[in-house]
Amino acid sequence: MNTVYLNGDYVPKSSAKISIFDRGLLFSDAVYEVISVINGRLIDMDRHISRLERSLGELSIDGFADWAAISENLVTENELREGLVYLQVSRGVMDERDYRWPAPETAPTIFAFAQNRVLVANPMADRGMTIITRPDLRWQRCDIKTTQLLYASLMKMEAVAAGVDDVWMTRDDMITEGTSQNAHIISEDGVLISHQLDRRILPGVTRIEMLAQAKSMELTVEERAFSIDEAKNAAEAFVSSSTLLIMPVVEIDGHKIGDGLPGDRTEKIRRNYIAAVQRA
């Protein structure tokens, strides 16, 4: 992927330059959004734009652009068939470093790029993810999709060191979400449990369509927190995100979920989700 968007221009990525005094660099004072691309089509664009604009509003960043046009142009310019488009907006450039942000008329920095990624035929869907749990030590506004992802990065590296695929984070023994995914389980009696939307988790765009597909399968849905023990004793577990779509989880902290294989209902939700977004 060679062409990126920066402040109104489409330029080669080698030519894209951002000031060292940009608040995104100095303070992670920025938000972002990531959109799946399947068969050359942006998935759930309207919902992603709504979430991006909400994140900007929560941080009082005055950033606006034609997000759909930028994303579509990046797909075209980079001949992207399957992968991701990232949109990122910082509060802009300061004259000098200061915790207080500059005047409202300061222009935001708007940056976007495309990335190849295998989404539909991801081999992890056949084997399932292995997960460990760790304390959720992030800030208290996890509902805002900011670029301050250091703790998530640390946890992903901890997963690598432990020889597993990712981490589910916990507060008071209750699972909040993965490092970059929403977490879900299906209980032995067939109830799909997903953490309620609040400040402890990101309101996942993929989660919206996932829940719709689960309900169409006549699964009962409970939106509430669930414990580590509930997850270990569940019949099935899985995550949802723009990067993984719907992905089964087969092991948590060394404990097999169900028979240790991707669950039938999770696999059906994944198939139905992919079919639904391709039709839309």
Side-chain angles (χ1 to χ4, degrees):
M1 301 291 101
N2 187 53
T3 300
V4 304
Y5 174 93
L6 179 60
N7 293 333
D9 296 316
Y10 295 90
V11 298
K13 64 181 180 182
S14 59
S15 301
K17 308 296 181 185
I18 295 174
S19 169
I20 60 171
F21 287 101
D22 192 280
R23 285 185 63 88
L25 172 64
L26 294 175
F27 296 104
S28 293
D29 189 359
V31 301
Y32 78 104
E33 196 60 47
V34 54
I35 305 104
S36 307
V37 176
I38 299 176
N39 293 332
R41 294 179 58 250
L42 292 152
I43 304 302
D44 258 335
M45 190 67 200
D46 289 346
R47 287 171 174 162
H48 282 289
I49 291 173
S50 294
R51 187 171 66 178
L52 176 59
E53 291 178 345
R54 178 187 178 274
S55 293
L56 289 167
E58 290 295 305
L59 296 187
S60 300
I61 295 177
D62 187 17
F64 175 79
D66 190 339
W67 310 114
I70 291 169
S71 301
E72 288 164 4
N73 288 340
L74 286 172
V75 169
T76 300
E77 290 287 331
N78 292 287
E79 299 180 347
L80 181 64
R81 295 298 299 163
E82 185 166 304
L84 306 164
V85 169
Y86 285 86
L87 307 173
Q88 184 164 313
V89 188
S90 84
R91 199 178 302 276
V93 178
M94 310 177 67
D95 291 330
E96 58 184 22
R97 189 182 189 280
D98 193 331
Y99 281 96
R100 296 164 296 184
W101 58 66
E105 61 268 19
T106 300
T109 299
I110 300 177
F111 171 54
F113 62 95
Q115 190 173 76
N116 276 314
R117 180 79 67 89
V118 175
L119 301 177
V120 174
N122 189 334
M124 190 183 290
D126 295 324
R127 67 170 174 85
M129 297 177 72
T130 54
I131 297 292
I132 55 176
T133 59
R134 293 292 185 268
D136 191 343
L137 301 180
R138 299 172 297 169
W139 78 317
Q140 300 297 308
R141 292 304 308 274
C142 300
D143 57 308
I144 305 172
K145 197 170 178 70
T146 74
T147 61
Q148 52 172 303
L149 299 171
L150 179 58
Y151 189 71
S153 295
L154 289 170
M155 291 301 96
K156 283 189 181 289
M157 294 310 298
E158 190 154 329
V160 170
V164 299
D165 295 305
D166 220 313
V167 169
W168 278 6
M169 295 175 285
T170 65
R171 295 180 191 265
D172 299 322
D173 205 39
M174 305 298 282
I175 291 166
T176 51
E177 58 186 346
T179 56
S180 56
Q181 326 89 13
N182 291 135
H184 323 280
I185 60 173
I186 299 176
S187 67
E188 288 286 358
D189 54 356
V191 177
L192 192 157
I193 306 171
S194 178
H195 198 292
Q196 72 276 10
L197 296 183
D198 58 25
R199 291 184 174 185
R200 288 170 288 185
I201 71 165
L202 184 74
V205 169
T206 304
R207 176 183 181 276
I208 297 171
E209 182 62 34
M210 177 278 293
L211 290 176
Q213 293 303 320
K215 291 173 183 176
S216 74
M217 292 166 53
E218 299 186 346
L219 286 174
T220 300
V221 173
E222 291 183 7
E223 296 188 55
R224 63 169 177 83
F226 55 89
S227 68
I228 297 174
D229 284 343
E230 277 187 283
K232 289 180 178 179
N233 292 312
E236 302 180 32
F238 64 98
V239 301
S240 62
S241 72
S242 295
T243 53
L244 294 176
L245 309 181
I246 311 300
M247 191 61 65
V249 171
V250 297
E251 180 185 294
I252 300 174
D253 290 337
H255 181 92
K256 287 184 178 180
I257 306 302
D259 60 5
L261 299 171
D264 291 341
R265 286 164 292 196
T266 299
E267 290 184 331
K268 185 173 181 180
I269 292 171
R270 180 180 171 86
R271 288 196 305 271
N272 290 356
Y273 170 84
I274 292 170
V277 298
Q278 287 178 323
R279 286 194 303 268

